[in-house]
């Protein structure tokens, strides 16, 4: 590649799989395409010859999927595609008549260029021949031919466009019969330079895809792509590459939406040496407000704000190429857009995992935008999913099925999280999964205690535990630095070390076992206190690759469990983190068939312990069937953090934070819904009040149209448990995209998702 990697094949992997090195690079490096002991003259000049004959020459740099493709990248990939072409070839080392026939038949008669090895030594030097002149002297037994060929030279810059014309003159004889006809033999007399003359001559016919390590159709898309990827006036977040042609000043108009704030950074592409890198100017309503030189390092933030009311500001970004520049100037523009609502999913899917998100504005909301933004550890955007324009009730799904694109220009950055940004409230769901698991995360913003700024991190894993992994993430969503102290505790409450973390604005910290801040792994949990707003998540992965995730847990003294599944292979676990230096007493009351049982269970949790309780009917003097009909209240005079985890045999598990008893929204909507193709969705509705509640439950299609609605009556302290398929048997499952609850402010809700004709996949969501 230019100044090192990424090579053209790396860029192919980026284009096709979103990361490099990928399968194409590894296949080529481990196969016949790469020989570290090859002679220094060896290469794929035959592929260059064939490509120059059969392909339209790439003329300009372009950007596809955020990947800068130089002319040289395109030509390199086309060369690789044509290196194993089907060809019509013959050896002419000892017989110039073969070479002569190819010139006359293909160039002279068919106006088609030919390829030839113009070196009769062991080395192989191939060139495309496109014209010739001949001076033929007649003899008795043979004719003497002085032939000058015109061919293209490959000793040019990577990005050269056009033809460097070369010529050579050869002298040879062509044998004749008694009637003066050439009989197909002859003799080389001399060549220029020296006595060298052609050894092989051929005509390329076409590509043999079976012999390639890349897909020709994909390469063709890349090679013939045009332009940059700037999206115009409504600038979307992510990584863009602006192309400025030699001698030009490019202007880009930016009109942020009211209430949005754009943070923009620019830098030159690192693959090409530019000398003077040019300048950039930012103008607002034709007044210059910022001017700075362009370099290879990211510039400071350019904050561009959309006004809430009044005339809309228009910003112009003017990029000036350096004086005397002869090449296209690629400028990287990284854009972060802040809107009213943001939710995070930390960590990114690996090769075997996918990450998805579904959202929908409520039927009462105005139209709005939604997108997924991939950010690195410093909070800088490195990629973006599709931007959706949604009307009221319309749902949107976005899936990232590979690892986030590697930013080759800023190779010190590491994709660390995905941010969902909308300008409407975000009922919805993040889902991540693989061929064996499915896990879900709720979408609300930071979970925190505003007074004490305390958060709990469960599921920490000892560094010596080789069968389980526990990773946690801390994120600073503010504009200033946040300092955090982390106190570690073993499960039994024994204090571990104290760690300290300093997070710059927007920064994400990822901490795996063995590199927990201040602690070399620990089987237990941690208490985080911060001097500012903080959010994050924790992920758990066990030996069978069953994965689960939780946001960091906030503290409170009153929680609820809407559902306890204990039969037919199911189990339900409640986890608690006790921040107190004394014993924590948690009273758990089961409400069965709308009545609180007389025997609450008091759970005594040791000081600073992290404990789990498997819910069983015996704890409350109930049978398993009675507990399956129950919901639970957890109460304490002191604050604690907790979570709820559903498990099915050893196949699947799904965890959510314990749910507060606070009133909810009048109308709530959830997407996606899983009701077709072997998937199922179960809904639990709990009336936490002493009054009868009527809730309207509706299913919507992707356009927000109501497919069917049902009114459900829920008695005081009662609940309803039903599958979506049973609740709406007449609705086509393939049409269902969202679930809406109306008149539901006093109702707590839980959704369970399962799949693969059973429970091999499982996710849960409280809303």
């Amino acid at each position: 590649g230019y100044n090192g990697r990424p090579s053209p094949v790396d860029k192919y992997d980026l284009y096709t799989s979103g990361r490099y090195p990928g399968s194409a690079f590894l296949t080529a490096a481990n196969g016949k395409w790469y020989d570290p002991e090859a002679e220094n003259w060896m290469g794929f000049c035959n592929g260059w010859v064939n490509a120059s004959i059969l392909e339209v020459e790439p003329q300009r740099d372009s950007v596809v999927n955020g990947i800068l493709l130089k002319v040289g990248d395109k030509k390199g990939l086309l060369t690789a595609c044509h290196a194993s072409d089907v060809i019509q070839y013959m050896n002419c080392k000892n017989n110039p008549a073969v070479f002569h026939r190819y010139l006359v038949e293909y160039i002279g008669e068919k106006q088609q260029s030919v390829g030839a090895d113009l070196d009769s030594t062991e080395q192989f030097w191939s060139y495309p021949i496109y014209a010739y002149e001949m001076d033929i002297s007649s003899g008795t037994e043979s004719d003497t031919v002085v032939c000058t060929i015109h061919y293209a030279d490959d000793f040019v810059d990577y990005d050269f466009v056009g033809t460097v014309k070369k010529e050579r003159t050869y002298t040879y004889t062509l044998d004749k019969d008694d009637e003066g006809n050439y009989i197909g033999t002859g003799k080389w007399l001399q060549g220029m330079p020296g006595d060298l003359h052609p050894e092989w001559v051929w005509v390329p016919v076409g590509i043999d895809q079976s012999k390639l390590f890349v897909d020709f159709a994909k390469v063709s898309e890349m090679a013939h792509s045009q332009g940059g990827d700037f999206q115009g006036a409504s600038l979307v977040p992510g990584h863009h590459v602006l192309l400025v042609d030699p001698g030009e000043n490019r202007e880009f108009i930016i009109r942020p939406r009211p209430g949005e704030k754009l943070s923009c950074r620019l830098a030159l592409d690192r693959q090409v040496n530019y000398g003077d890198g040019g300048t950039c100017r930012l103008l607002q309503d034709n007044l210059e407000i910022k001017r700075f030189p362009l370099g290879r390092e990211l510039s400071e933030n350019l904050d561009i704000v959309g006004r809430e009311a009044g005339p809309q500001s228009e910003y112009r970004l003017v990029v000036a190429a350096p004086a005397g520049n002869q090449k296209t100037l690629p400028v990287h523009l990284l854009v972060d857009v802040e809107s009213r609502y943001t939710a995070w999913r930390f960590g990114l899917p690996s090769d075997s995992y996918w990450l998805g998100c579904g959202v929908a504005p409520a039927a009462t909301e105005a139209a709005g935008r939604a997108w997924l933004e991939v950010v690195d550890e410093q909070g800088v955007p490195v990629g973006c999913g599709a931007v959706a324009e949604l009307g009221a009730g319309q749902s949107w799904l976005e899936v990232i099925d590979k690892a986030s694109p590697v930013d080759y220009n800023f190779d010190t950055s590491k994709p660390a999280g995905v941010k969902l940004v909308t300008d409407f409230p975000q009922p919805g769901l993040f889902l991540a999964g693989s061929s064996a698991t499915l896990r879900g995360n709720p979408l609300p913003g930071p979970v925190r205690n505003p007074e004490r700024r305390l958060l709990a991190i469960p599921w920490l894993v000892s560094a010596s535990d080789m069968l389980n992994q526990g990773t946690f993430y801390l994120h600073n969503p503010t504009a200033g630095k946040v300092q955090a102290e982390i106190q570690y505790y073993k499960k039994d409450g024994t204090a571990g070390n104290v760690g300290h973390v300093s997070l710059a604005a927007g920064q994400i910290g990822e901490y795996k076992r063995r590199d927990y801040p201040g602690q070399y792994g620990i089987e237990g949990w941690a208490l985080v206190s911060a001097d500012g707003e903080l959010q994050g998540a924790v992920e758990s992965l066990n030996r069978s690759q069953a994965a689960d995730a939780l946001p960091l847990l906030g503290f409170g003294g009153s929680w609820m469990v809407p559902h306890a599944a204990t039969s037919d292979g199911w189990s339900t676990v409640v986890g608690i983190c006790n921040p107190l230096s004394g014993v924590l007493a948690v009273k758990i009351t089961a409400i069965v068939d709308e009545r609180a049982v007389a025997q609450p269970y008091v759970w005594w949790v040791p000081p600073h312990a992290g404990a789990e309780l498997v819910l069983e009917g015996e704890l409350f003097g109930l049978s398993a069937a009675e507990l399956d009909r129950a919901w639970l209240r957890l109460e304490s005079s002191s604050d604690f953090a907790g979570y709820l985890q559903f498990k099915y045999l050893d196949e699947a598990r799904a965890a959510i934070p314990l749910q507060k008893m606070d009133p909810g929204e009048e109308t709530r909507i959830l997407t996606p819904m899983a009701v077709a193709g072997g998937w199922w969705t179960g809904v639990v509705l709990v009336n936490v009040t002493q009054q009868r509640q009527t809730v309207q439950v509706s299913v919507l299609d992707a356009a927000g149209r109501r497919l069917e609605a049902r009114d459900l009556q829920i008695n005081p302290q009662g609940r309803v448990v039903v599958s979506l398929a049973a609740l709406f048997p007449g609705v086509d499952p393939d049409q269902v995209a969202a679930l809406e609850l109306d008149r539901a402010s006093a109702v707590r809700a839980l959704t369970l998702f399962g799949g693969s004709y059973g429970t091999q996949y499982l996710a849960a969501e409280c809303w």
Side-chain angles (χ1 to χ4, degrees):
Y2 299 82
N3 295 331
R5 293 175 72 174
S7 67
V9 178
D10 287 325
K11 293 186 179 182
Y12 173 87
D13 280 328
L14 273 171
Y15 181 76
T16 56
S17 68
R19 56 184 250 147
Y20 84 94
S23 61
F25 177 88
L26 296 175
T27 299
N30 296 323
K32 67 174 185 177
W33 297 89
Y34 174 65
D35 181 3
E37 298 180 357
E39 299 290 342
N40 61 3
W41 58 267
M42 291 182 177
F44 293 102
C45 55
N46 63 311
W48 163 69
V49 169
N50 297 341
S52 69
I53 294 174
L54 296 177
E55 297 289 343
V56 176
E57 181 182 26
Q59 302 282 317
R60 299 170 65 90
D61 299 345
S62 63
V63 179
V64 290
N65 297 345
I67 306 161
L68 173 64
L69 296 175
K70 303 287 291 177
V71 168
D73 291 317
K74 298 178 179 183
K75 291 187 174 183
L77 288 170
L78 289 173
T79 294
C81 285
H82 286 280
S84 298
D85 276 2
V86 176
I87 60 175
Q88 296 176 357
Y89 67 98
M90 292 189 71
N91 187 286
C92 57
K93 182 176 182 178
N94 299 314
N95 186 3
V98 173
F99 181 72
H100 182 87
R101 180 171 64 82
Y102 266 74
L103 296 182
V104 173
E105 180 179 344
Y106 289 101
I107 298 178
E109 297 177 5
K110 298 181 179 180
Q111 300 295 298
Q112 180 179 346
S113 298
V114 301
D117 168 20
L118 301 184
D119 190 316
S120 52
T121 68
E122 178 187 1
Q123 297 186 6
F124 203 92
W125 295 95
S126 303
Y127 299 92
I129 305 171
Y130 59 88
Y132 66 87
E133 293 100 25
M134 292 180 180
D135 184 6
I136 303 177
S137 301
S138 180
T140 304
E141 297 181 352
S142 63
D143 290 348
T144 300
V145 181
V146 179
C147 176
T148 299
I149 61 169
H150 299 267
Y151 63 96
D153 192 17
D154 61 352
F155 196 70
V156 295
D157 181 78
Y158 309 125
D159 300 318
F160 179 82
V161 175
T163 302
V164 174
K165 300 178 180 180
K166 294 281 188 176
E167 62 181 47
R168 290 187 185 182
T169 300
Y170 302 104
T171 303
Y172 52 86
T173 62
L174 299 176
D175 298 332
K176 301 187 295 187
D177 59 17
D178 294 339
E179 298 179 357
N181 299 316
Y182 294 138
I183 61 175
T185 58
K187 182 179 180 180
W188 293 102
L189 297 181
Q190 63 179 6
M192 292 290 292
D195 292 326
L196 298 180
H197 55 74
E199 181 172 2
W200 292 92
V201 63
W202 70 88
V203 173
V205 176
I207 284 176
D208 185 350
Q209 177 65 54
S210 66
K211 295 182 179 179
L212 300 183
F213 63 96
V214 292
D215 180 80
F216 175 68
K218 294 293 184 183
V219 169
S220 185
E221 290 174 9
M222 299 171 70
H224 301 299
S225 61
Q226 299 181 15
D229 69 346
F230 188 75
Q231 299 297 316
S234 186
L235 186 61
V236 299
H239 183 173
H240 309 272
V241 183
L242 317 178
L243 297 179
V244 183
D245 289 332
E248 287 190 1
N249 292 344
R250 289 290 305 275
E251 293 190 2
F252 304 94
I253 305 299
I254 302 173
R255 299 187 184 95
R257 295 192 175 196
E260 290 185 348
K261 177 182 177 182
L262 283 68
S263 297
C264 303
R265 300 184 183 186
L266 296 97
L268 292 177
D269 192 280
R270 295 184 179 183
Q271 296 177 90
V272 183
N273 296 318
Y274 295 103
D276 176 16
T279 59
C280 185
R281 299 161 57 215
L282 181 66
L283 297 88
Q284 180 181 6
D285 300 329
N286 292 321
L287 296 176
E288 184 175 302
I289 59 177
K290 184 78 173 179
R291 179 193 291 261
F292 55 92
L294 286 173
R296 293 192 178 191
E297 301 301 323
L298 280 174
S299 68
E300 295 182 358
N301 263 334
L302 305 177
D303 290 332
I304 302 173
V305 181
R307 297 175 182 173
E308 290 288 354
Q312 177 65 52
S313 291
E314 179 177 277
Y315 293 84
R316 283 193 298 145
L317 194 63
V318 182
V319 181
N325 179 52
Q326 299 299 312
K327 293 185 177 182
T328 299
L329 187 73
V331 180
H332 293 257
L333 172 62
L334 282 74
V335 181
D336 179 34
V337 181
E338 298 178 17
S339 193
R340 285 182 291 174
Y341 301 96
T342 303
W344 288 83
R345 202 282 179 185
F346 301 101
L348 288 168
S350 63
D351 281 343
S352 58
Y353 273 83
W354 52 264
L355 174 66
C357 175
V359 294
T364 56
E365 296 289 333
R369 284 204 303 177
W371 63 85
L372 289 178
E373 186 177 325
V374 180
V375 300
D376 68 9
E377 293 171 309
Q378 305 305 316
V380 177
V382 295
C384 178
V387 177
E389 296 282 352
L390 299 177
Q394 292 182 335
S395 62
W396 169 71
L397 301 176
E398 180 77 359
V399 174
I400 301 175
D401 61 355
K402 298 285 185 181
S404 174
V406 174
D407 191 333
Y408 59 83
N409 202 61
F410 308 104
D411 51 14
T412 57
S413 66
K414 176 185 177 183
V418 176
K419 181 170 65 172
L420 172 70
V421 184
T422 64
D423 47 18
F424 55 84
Q426 297 176 331
L429 188 67
F430 269 128
L431 292 175
S434 70
S435 59
T437 62
L438 175 74
R439 61 186 187 274
N441 289 86
L443 284 185
V447 179
R448 59 189 183 274
N449 183 316
E451 290 77 26
R452 292 160 52 193
R453 303 187 190 278
L454 296 179
L455 294 168
I457 308 173
W459 297 347
L460 298 182
V461 175
S462 168
S464 61
D465 188 343
M466 305 306 295
L467 301 177
N468 297 281
Q469 298 181 30
T471 303
F472 71 89
Y473 303 85
L474 298 178
H475 172 235
N476 172 14
T478 71
K481 181 182 292 186
V482 171
Q483 308 280 351
E485 181 179 275
I486 306 174
Q487 173 65 65
Y488 296 93
Y489 296 102
K490 295 182 180 180
K491 287 184 177 180
D492 63 5
T494 302
N497 296 336
V498 176
H500 294 87
V501 171
S502 178
L503 296 175
Q507 186 175 355
I508 299 171
E510 177 183 352
Y511 311 102
K512 299 179 181 293
R513 69 175 185 212
R514 301 190 183 189
D515 65 359
Y516 295 153
Q519 177 73 50
Y520 187 69
I522 190 169
E523 193 77 19
W525 70 287
L527 181 65
V528 181
S529 58
D531 61 3
E533 186 174 310
L534 196 66
Q535 63 185 37
V538 60
E539 288 191 339
S540 173
L541 186 69
N542 68 12
R543 72 187 75 182
S544 60
Q545 298 298 299
D548 208 352
L550 277 171
L552 301 188
L553 303 174
F555 288 85
S558 179
W559 306 95
M560 70 163 295
V561 172
H563 182 59
T566 61
S567 302
D568 301 323
W570 288 88
S571 62
T572 304
V573 176
V574 174
I576 281 182
C577 298
N578 176 14
L580 306 176
S581 57
V583 175
L584 175 72
V586 180
K587 185 175 75 170
I588 307 178
T589 304
I591 294 89
V592 183
D593 300 334
E594 303 155 21
R595 297 184 61 183
V597 300
Q599 179 184 323
Y601 175 75
V602 179
W603 186 7
W604 301 94
V605 182
H608 299 309
E612 290 189 341
L613 178 69
V614 178
L615 296 179
E616 297 176 343
E618 296 175 357
L619 300 175
F620 312 96
L622 301 173
S623 66
E626 289 173 319
L627 185 59
D628 284 345
R629 303 199 305 269
W631 64 277
L632 310 176
R633 285 199 305 259
L634 283 72
E635 300 165 296
S636 174
S637 59
S638 303
D639 284 352
F640 62 95
Y643 56 90
L644 180 68
Q645 187 173 53
F646 297 97
K647 297 181 180 181
Y648 181 75
L649 301 176
D650 291 327
E651 294 182 6
R653 54 182 180 161
I656 53 176
L658 288 179
Q659 192 170 11
K660 291 189 174 182
M661 301 281 286
D662 300 339
E665 300 291 335
E666 182 68 19
T667 300
R668 284 172 281 170
I669 190 167
L670 180 69
T671 186
M673 290 288 100
V675 290
W679 294 85
W680 54 264
T681 297
V683 180
V684 181
L685 304 177
V686 179
N687 177 7
V688 297
T689 72
Q690 298 293 333
Q691 290 80 38
R692 185 180 179 87
Q693 302 290 331
T694 300
V695 180
Q696 185 183 74
V697 183
S698 304
V699 282
L700 312 176
D701 65 12
R705 293 184 293 263
R706 185 169 279 103
L707 301 173
E708 191 174 322
R710 292 278 305 274
D711 282 343
L712 297 180
Q713 303 291 329
I714 310 178
N715 292 330
Q717 298 195 89
R719 71 173 197 156
V720 172
V721 180
V722 65
S723 71
L724 213 60
L727 191 60
F728 300 100
V731 175
D732 182 359
D734 291 324
Q735 298 297 313
V736 176
L739 178 68
E740 183 182 75
L741 299 185
D742 193 21
R743 305 189 300 273
S745 60
V747 172
R748 306 290 84 204
L750 169 73
T751 309
L752 283 172
F753 303 88
S756 191
Y757 299 94
T759 52
Q760 293 178 3
Y761 306 93
L762 186 63
E765 168 74 4
C766 271
W767 54 304

